[in-house]
Amino acid sequence: MRARLLGLTGAAGLALAGLTLAAVPASAADGDAQLWVLHGVPDLTVDVWVNGERTLDDFAPGDLAGPLDLAAGTYSVAITASDAEDDSDPAIGPVDLSLESGGSYTAVAHLDAGGDPTATLFTNDVSQTAAGEGRLTVRHVAAAPAVDVLAGGDAVISGLENPDEQVLDLPAGTVSASVVAAGTTEPALLGPADVEVAEGTNTILYAWGSATSDPASLALATQVIDGLHGDPSGVQAGELGLAADRGTAPWVWAAAAAALALTATAGTAAVRRASARSTTR
Amino acid sequence: MAALAVVLAVAGCGGPEAGAPVVPAPAETGTSPAPSPAGDDPGAPSSAPGPQVPVRRATAPAASPAPRPVRLVVRAADVDMRVDPVGVLDDGTMEIPPDARRAGWYRFGPGPGSPRGSTVLAGHVDSRLTGIGPLAELRRARPGDEVLVTTEDGTVHRYTTVEVEKVPKQDAPLARWFDRDGDPRLVVITCGGAWRAEIGHYADNVVLTAEPVRG
């Protein structure tokens, strides 16, 4: 597979270049949006055109491309057969994607509830998660009626319709999830499947394909956006007071290099004792 | 063919506090796409065809749990403790083993051997279950003291203490202690200072920070 970013130049292109080359965190330009593209139309290999340029070549069902760091703005996206000369005869679109500064988006080419190809732009929730929690997003992009999502036998999402989503923040862990027609408990249209809800991560599940085609082509796709974690609010590591001391002043023993590295205070002695400050308690 | 996958650590659009989204790629498919034809200066701005967009199958990344820590030794402070994986309590604070003779490893963060970030171990200085624990002596450690953390695979990870400090809890640099980025380091946390009977907590945290011994 060949996937190229042809039409997007400037900051976006440079940020990606640095990223793929150095494999170190490459800071996108302030205010850039991040865009992923998911292909959820069965049996159709396509090219994706952005602002008239072929950006994804031979993009296959079940593939996820991205992230693209893009300046905020509106982008025209068209999806054509994979051998198209240009985007003048799109299978889907063209659609205008309006990307806001700092936003995280996934554009999904998929079937609507009636089985016709369409495209939907989802905004990914990349807000911070509480320490110990992960986020689960479920998106219905399949040619299928409304569904429920069962976890451990209970409906945790009810009546989800194409092309809607639902977002849950859950304790990190593995969830055994299945997708059923809304209001039922069986048969499972998808799953049960073990879904890892990783801490500090938005795990995005897509139900895509078609429940009505013969054979049915329903499938699950997964996108993972991590780095959303929050920190614990404190460390309470004593219960009795048996080890208490009367000294109330904070203190630090630090090697000079460590002081430089860890506290950004310039130390000159190799080892020094610093009474950081008096307290008012 | 296998989807192109690239190991990405993508800083997003803001500063570190923005919670930059990061997409991990499955390690076993970590093939870096060449962003430009051979011979090009890859760092040079170019109007030539742009770099490749990473594409992969939309499947969950394979879990790759690192070996968890099972033992903490700080000889200079007579600390030799078993270590249990722990998480977060309902009130949002780090979970601590009820037995003060055992330390907890914050399992959502990095572990020993992680290339980046802070491995956090914490234990009660004293507990209702077992009284005073070995971390009551943590304050005796000094910069340069060796710290050993053994992981379940038997590997002994060697660290050198760079800082031991006592800080009021309201000033605790939690973002630094629980940082998942930056140079790899070990943070060992317990309590100390005055006992605040009215809230049932110590006033301060006693914290040892160590960095890996290289080579």
Side-chain angles (χ1 to χ4, degrees), chain B residues 50-191:
Chain B
Q52 294 178 324
V53 182
V55 178
R56 63 176 182 85
R57 298 298 294 171
T59 54
S64 55
R68 65 179 181 86
V70 295
R71 186 182 178 194
L72 166 68
V73 175
V74 189
R75 296 227 181 278
D78 293 328
V79 169
D80 186 345
M81 309 172 75
R82 296 286 163 187
V83 177
D84 303 315
V86 297
V88 181
L89 300 178
D90 288 343
D91 68 0
T93 61
M94 180 178 169
E95 180 187 6
I96 309 291
D99 183 337
R101 297 167 301 186
R102 303 177 78 90
W105 164 59
Y106 189 64
R107 61 188 165 90
F108 300 125
S114 291
R116 301 188 71 74
S118 177
T119 298
V120 180
L121 304 180
H124 279 315
V125 67
D126 58 13
S127 77
R128 286 185 283 273
L129 189 66
T130 55
I132 292 181
L135 287 179
E137 303 299 322
L138 186 68
R139 57 191 297 141
R140 283 169 34 203
R142 291 293 175 266
D145 287 348
E146 183 180 66
V147 181
L148 305 175
V149 178
T150 307
T151 43
E152 59 185 332
D153 61 351
T155 303
V156 178
H157 299 263
R158 296 161 55 89
Y159 297 84
T160 299
T161 302
V162 293
E163 187 178 77
V164 185
E165 63 179 332
K166 187 178 80 168
V167 294
K169 285 179 180 171
Q170 67 268 25
D171 297 337
L174 295 161
R176 193 180 88 200
W177 293 346
F178 290 94
D179 187 11
R180 301 190 193 179
D181 206 350
D183 290 339
R185 57 218 188 265
L186 173 72
V187 175
V188 183
I189 306 171
T190 190
C191 276

Side-chain angles (χ1 to χ4, degrees), chain A residues 3-29 32-37 50 54-56 64-71 75, chain B residues 4-13 21 23 32-36 41-46 48-55:
Chain A
R4 299 198 122 161
L5 175 64
L6 288 173
L8 309 163
T9 55
L14 291 176
L16 265 174
L19 206 162
T20 51
L21 286 171
V24 295
S27 208
D32 275 1
Q34 288 201 311
L35 176 68
W36 282 260
V37 182
V50 178
R54 195 191 323 255
T55 299
L56 294 170
L64 176 70
L68 293 167
D69 292 317
L70 300 175
Y75 296 84
Chain B
L4 279 176
V6 56
V7 177
L8 292 175
V10 182
C13 311
V23 174
S32 284
S36 59
D41 174 356
S46 171
Q52 294 178 324
V53 182
V55 178

Side-chain angles (χ1 to χ4, degrees), chain A residues 259-270:
Chain A
L260 283 169
L262 294 170
T263 64
T265 56
T268 50

